[in-house]
Amino acid sequence: MSAPDRTDRHPALAAADPEIASLVAAEEQLQADTLRLIPSENYVSQAVLEASGTVLQNKYSEGYPGKRYYEGQQNIDQVEAIAADRARALFGVDHANVQPYSGSPANLAVYLAFLKPGDTVLGMSLPMGGHLTHGWGVSATGTWFRGVGYGVRRDTGRVDLDEVRDLALAERPKLIFCGGTAVPRVIDFAGFAEIAREVGAVLVADIAHIAGLVAGGAHPSPVPHADVVSTTTHKTLRGPRGAMLMCREEHARAIDRAVFPGLQGGPHNQTTAAIAVALREAATPEFGGYAHQVVANARALGEQLAARGFDLVSGGTDNHLLLIDLTGRDVPGKVAAKALDRAGIVVNYNTVPYDPRKPFDPSGIRIGTPSLTSRGIPESEMAAVAEWIDRVVTAARTGDEETVTKVRAEVKALMDAYPAPGLPLG
Ligand SMILES: *Cc1c(COP(=O)(O)O)cnc(C)c1O
């Protein structure tokens, strides 16, 4: 069977700009054929894809529903109100702002809402699993504000709330972030809230990675505990590239003013529509099943990897992601990641806590199950996935490209058996 011509899916684009059309087609093919294990990525539904490619993008809508600086908002106001309503209902919050362009600007808006330049923020440090925007030095949040970082314990790989409390009492932050980008364990939102109360800080739960798990009931919700909940919409929540800020009523005005006019201009209405669609999908029982399967798959994959001698940070996972320390395998993270990529397994190299290597050449790789679960791949296949990773990591050390090529064919066969959403040609 010959490969389908994917440029047929975008005929106007193919006619107007064959160069870009063929790159989009090649990317569709790549996403169809590879085992995508980057934990911040996913496959959105065809409905979300369609909503994000609509004429809503032609409209300017600075302001909020009913309070715009441009006329002609008859439809846009309804789209944004529906998106915000669905966010409130799904997460059980008083207020939701669906306009942040992405997770990083959403977090910056939180600083703008509560802090003055030079004020102190306490967040998980980047090499321990936190995000740049939690006060790390190279980020605006670490240059305009005074960032103080907490980590995980060397022996457990987990956050130690006693350490966080000691730091908070010593440094007196105005803002505390919990959550991160490489945190394989449940976040104790109640514990963080207690510390924030003790020092009079605003607690932000950044659930960018786990929002879909929270929505689907597969991770505890931060909503009863955090003052502000920040999330992207494109990771486990399986929506378009975007973000939301949710909060109690008392902070609603500060958050809204920080997003617009504080930080942003016109909202991306096509994205707002796609967020609304994703939130509708996330409210279904099927999505709850998806969220639980993401965790079950990650747990099974972790067990299979551990059985093959892989060293998992914190010993395993409670959520969708696994952080693998490759020190014992004698392969740097980047070398392993590149070999896996050649084998059709897409991961990212990542620092591990207390990493002796440099951030651009660290000791670990980070993997996750949101994308493969969206393809419907079940736990029973995790043994095969762990075996591929094992073979390729070993091959990366010995320079055995033959094994890499063999694994690539095996990966492709599994991908063909589980077509990805949004890629109807398989
Ligand atoms: C991904 C992520 C962000 C930033 O999202 P972008 O959309 O990439 O700007 C913020 N915080 C956490 C914890 C993240 O994982």
Side-chain angles (χ1 to χ4, degrees):
M1 193 182 88
S2 69
D5 180 1
R6 287 180 179 276
T7 58
D8 288 353
R9 292 187 64 200
H10 311 288
L13 178 60
D17 193 334
E19 200 178 1
I20 292 297
S22 75
L23 287 169
V24 171
E27 178 62 20
E28 289 186 356
Q29 194 71 55
L30 189 68
Q31 292 189 17
D33 291 348
T34 52
L35 177 58
R36 300 170 63 236
L37 293 181
I38 294 175
S40 47
E41 294 182 350
N42 215 326
Y43 295 95
V44 298
S45 68
Q46 186 64 27
V48 167
L49 274 183
E50 285 180 11
S52 58
T54 55
V55 296
L56 271 59
Q57 83 94 41
N58 294 341
K59 186 68 195 142
Y60 241 103
S61 314
E62 282 183 357
Y64 289 101
K67 291 164 283 186
R68 304 284 192 187
Y69 291 81
Y70 296 80
E71 296 312 310
Q73 309 294 345
Q74 294 87 334
N75 306 307
I76 302 298
D77 271 5
Q78 293 182 66
V79 168
E80 187 172 334
I82 289 168
D85 278 348
R86 288 181 183 167
R88 282 205 302 272
L90 185 63
F91 289 95
V93 288
D94 294 346
H95 181 71
N97 185 311
V98 296
Q99 292 194 6
Y101 298 143
S102 213
S104 300
N107 283 348
L108 195 54
V110 178
Y111 287 78
L112 195 57
F114 297 106
L115 267 57
K116 295 268 177 291
D119 282 349
T120 300
V121 55
L122 178 61
M124 189 178 227
S125 71
L126 184 70
M128 291 283 181
H131 192 260
L132 282 163
T133 56
H134 298 183
W136 190 246
V138 297
S139 152
T141 63
T143 52
W144 297 340
F145 305 94
R146 187 176 152 266
V148 176
Y150 59 85
V152 296
R153 285 178 64 109
R154 199 186 269 273
D155 54 345
T156 61
R158 298 176 188 237
V159 171
D160 178 344
L161 282 181
D162 291 333
E163 279 180 19
V164 176
R165 173 177 288 104
D166 289 346
L167 262 179
L169 288 169
E171 304 285 353
R172 292 279 157 185
K174 283 210 175 143
L175 201 62
I176 298 178
F177 272 92
C178 58
T181 62
V183 180
R185 294 297 179 178
V186 163
I187 302 161
D188 182 357
F189 298 119
F192 272 100
E194 205 180 299
I195 295 168
R197 259 197 311 277
E198 223 175 303
V199 300
V202 171
L203 178 66
V204 189
D206 183 346
I207 60 166
H209 261 261
I210 55 170
L213 306 185
V214 171
H219 187 289
S221 172
V223 170
H225 311 291
D227 297 291
V228 178
V229 176
S230 173
T231 186
T232 60
T233 47
H234 49 268
K235 298 180 184 175
T236 52
L237 193 55
R238 223 162 56 177
R241 310 300 292 218
M244 308 192 293
L245 287 171
M246 299 178 278
C247 61
R248 302 203 184 100
E249 194 52 48
E250 62 185 290
H251 299 310
R253 197 175 138 81
I255 288 291
D256 283 354
R257 287 173 58 97
V259 173
F260 176 86
L263 199 61
Q264 298 190 167
H268 296 176
N269 298 312
Q270 77 284 8
T271 299
T272 310
I275 288 174
V277 174
L279 291 169
R280 185 185 166 114
E281 291 175 354
T284 60
E286 290 74 29
F287 191 87
Y290 165 71
H292 283 90
Q293 191 59 45
V294 166
V295 175
N297 281 346
R299 194 165 293 157
L301 181 54
E303 284 163 8
Q304 294 291 337
L305 287 166
R308 291 175 172 276
F310 279 98
D311 179 6
L312 307 176
V313 171
S314 84
T317 183
D318 299 326
N319 56 29
H320 64 300
L321 80 80
L322 291 149
L323 196 52
I324 307 176
D325 185 343
L326 292 171
T327 307
R329 300 295 287 246
D330 204 21
V331 187
K334 200 192 270 191
V335 173
K338 289 195 181 301
L340 287 163
D341 192 48
R342 292 197 298 281
I345 300 173
V346 189
V347 309
N348 66 278
Y349 59 86
N350 213 95
T351 56
V352 295
Y354 304 99
D355 203 324
R357 302 176 65 92
K358 300 249 162 15
F360 196 62
D361 186 18
S363 298
I365 55 172
R366 189 185 66 150
I367 63 175
T369 52
S371 296
L372 71 81
T373 308
S374 287
R375 299 183 80 132
I377 299 176
E379 278 151 280
S380 53
E381 298 290 355
M382 295 308 111
V385 173
E387 192 212 297
W388 290 331
I389 292 172
D390 193 4
R391 283 161 66 196
V392 174
V393 165
T394 303
R397 181 161 47 77
T398 57
D400 173 9
E401 278 305 307
E402 203 176 311
T403 294
V404 171
T405 306
K406 267 193 208 145
V407 169
R408 189 176 183 96
E410 293 171 33
V411 168
K412 171 82 164 76
L414 185 69
M415 296 307 104
D416 287 348
Y418 294 96
L423 300 170
L425 297 181

